[in-house]
Amino acid sequence: MTENKNPFSNLEAKFKTVENKPKKEKAPIDFKKHYKSFITIFIAFIVIVIAFANVYVVKEGEYKIIRQFGEIVGEKETPGIYMKIPFIQSVTTIPKYQMNYKLSEKEINTKDKRRIIIDNYAVWRVVNPKEMIKNAGSLVNASSRMEEFIYSVVRSELGQLEYSEIINDENSSRGSLNDQITMHVNELLQKDKYGIEVVDVRIKRIDLPEENEQSVYNEMISERQKIAQKFLSTGDADKRRIEAETDRKVKEMLASAKKNAAIIEAEGEAEAAKIYNESFSKDPEFYSLYRTLESYKKTIGDDTMIIIPSDSPYAKLLSGYLQ
């Protein structure tokens, strides 16, 4: 019989040979040999970290103030990438654009001793960041000083006006008042060198304390009624004056018209009489007959009784006897 051979017998023998070979031991890592490389990589990493930590970027619309041990040593406002000295210098960012600041409501007294509550706001900006940091320290402190100046100027300006002048747009100049407040506040800020500028100060609202509202409203109504009555009286006086002037002119026109009519009528009657005289002078008998007939119109009516002789010419003519 032929023996059955295993086709994988050779592979099994090879695997057994490999397994039976002695394993080589790995050599330990020599840290002393790579010590300098590790130190170099670590130092390079620290340098890169420090470099990136001390790079700063200046953007549009902002100032960068560089301080060294608390003292200002530089200012950057041109956009770009810059670097400061590590551990010695620090960078402070100050906005260059305009900012809005809402002031807290304040109570002031007007010239006529009225208490009012003023609510206003300001538009401001930093124009000299070095002076701002030197004299104010921060934006918060600068805005607080600005608010104090604005309140002081508003109280002074409105204290010189009566309440009616402040709330009545017809009698007050709110626009010029805001401009005056802005100008005076900037003068105070420049005097103390705070490095900021107020672009505009605007009064948003003027309110009354609750305990004074009703009395002031009643006084305003009474004042308006007085003004209305004054207008009505002036209107009535103007009306009577215009009517009197018109009546006078009408009377003068009527008198002149009547005068002209009388003149024209007299001239017409004179012309008519002239024509009659010229016509009747040509035939006196006809004129006598015409005058007699005209007299009948005035003397004879429905109830007229005339007693005259029957042989009189007047009676003959009336009875139709013409010879």
Side-chain angles (χ1 to χ4, degrees):
M1 290 181 67
T2 58
E3 295 181 359
N4 293 330
K5 293 183 178 180
N6 187 357
F8 299 104
S9 59
N10 294 332
L11 292 176
E12 290 179 358
K14 290 180 179 181
F15 285 136
K16 289 180 179 179
T17 303
V18 172
E19 289 178 356
N20 294 328
K21 286 182 178 181
K23 295 182 180 180
K24 295 181 179 180
E25 294 183 358
K26 293 182 179 180
I29 298 174
D30 188 1
F31 288 100
K32 293 183 179 180
K33 182 180 180 180
H34 300 287
Y35 177 75
K36 293 182 178 180
S37 299
F38 290 150
I39 294 298
T40 303
I41 294 173
F42 179 75
I43 292 174
F45 176 75
I46 294 299
V47 170
I48 292 173
V49 170
I50 293 174
F52 275 104
N54 290 276
V55 170
Y56 63 94
V57 178
V58 179
K59 301 179 181 178
E60 288 284 351
E62 67 180 13
Y63 300 100
K64 293 290 187 179
I65 304 301
I66 299 92
R67 299 189 192 187
Q68 184 169 314
F69 300 113
E71 296 293 331
I72 298 175
V73 295
E75 174 188 343
K76 299 290 184 182
E77 58 178 309
T78 304
I81 300 175
Y82 303 90
M83 179 172 286
K84 64 182 178 67
I85 300 174
F87 309 111
I88 297 176
Q89 294 180 342
S90 61
V91 178
T92 303
T93 302
I94 304 295
K96 188 189 295 184
Y97 50 80
Q98 294 182 357
M99 297 170 283
N100 291 331
Y101 186 83
K102 185 183 181 304
L103 283 79
S104 56
E105 296 182 354
K106 300 290 185 180
E107 185 175 303
I108 65 174
N109 294 325
T110 62
K111 184 178 179 181
D112 52 349
K113 307 304 179 183
R114 294 299 180 90
R115 294 166 55 207
I116 59 175
I117 299 174
I118 297 295
D119 183 13
N120 49 14
Y121 71 94
V123 179
W124 67 295
R125 63 184 177 185
V126 178
V127 294
N128 192 326
K130 289 183 179 179
E131 287 187 353
M132 191 274 293
I133 292 178
K134 180 180 178 182
N135 297 312
S138 64
L139 283 175
V140 176
N141 293 337
S143 60
S144 298
R145 293 297 297 156
M146 178 186 67
E147 181 176 7
E148 293 176 4
F149 287 149
I150 292 175
Y151 172 64
S152 176
V153 173
V154 169
R155 182 178 59 185
S156 175
E157 291 292 332
L158 297 186
Q160 300 175 13
L161 299 175
E162 294 186 356
Y163 179 75
S164 59
E165 294 176 335
I166 297 174
I167 66 172
N168 191 350
D169 290 334
E170 296 177 358
N171 297 331
S172 66
S173 53
R174 178 68 58 79
S176 62
L177 178 61
N178 292 327
D179 295 339
Q180 291 175 8
I181 294 172
T182 302
M183 180 183 67
H184 293 326
V185 171
N186 281 324
E187 290 176 354
L188 295 174
L189 291 172
Q190 292 174 4
K191 181 180 178 181
D192 291 346
K193 296 182 180 181
Y194 281 106
I196 62 176
E197 178 188 28
V198 176
V199 179
D200 192 14
V201 176
R202 291 288 165 180
I203 298 176
K204 292 171 57 180
R205 191 175 71 252
I206 299 177
D207 290 334
L208 292 167
E210 294 182 359
E211 60 271 17
N212 294 345
E213 277 190 13
Q214 192 59 45
S215 61
V216 172
Y217 287 158
N218 293 336
E219 184 176 344
M220 290 172 61
I221 293 172
S222 176
E223 185 67 23
R224 292 296 180 180
Q225 289 175 347
K226 289 180 181 178
I227 295 174
Q229 187 61 41
K230 180 180 178 181
F231 286 148
L232 290 174
S233 301
T234 303
D236 290 339
D238 291 341
K239 174 187 174 183
R240 289 192 293 270
R241 179 180 56 79
I242 294 172
E243 288 179 347
E245 185 70 18
T246 303
D247 291 341
R248 184 183 63 80
K249 290 182 179 180
V250 169
K251 289 179 181 179
E252 290 178 355
M253 293 172 64
L254 289 175
S256 178
K258 289 180 180 180
K259 179 182 177 181
N260 293 333
I263 293 173
I264 295 172
E265 186 178 357
E267 291 177 352
E269 289 179 353
E271 185 67 23
K274 180 180 178 182
I275 295 172
Y276 285 148
N277 290 333
E278 291 177 355
S279 300
F280 294 147
S281 63
K282 294 179 180 180
D283 191 351
E285 293 182 357
F286 174 76
Y287 176 70
S288 176
L289 175 63
Y290 176 76
R291 295 288 294 175
T292 303
L293 293 175
E294 286 294 322
S295 66
Y296 290 156
K297 294 179 181 180
K298 296 181 179 180
T299 58
I300 299 175
D302 294 337
D303 298 329
T304 303
M305 180 180 293
I306 301 175
I307 301 174
I308 55 175
S310 59
D311 57 349
S312 66
Y314 195 80
K316 290 180 179 181
L317 187 59
L318 183 61
S319 61
Y321 182 72
L322 300 177
Q323 295 193 3

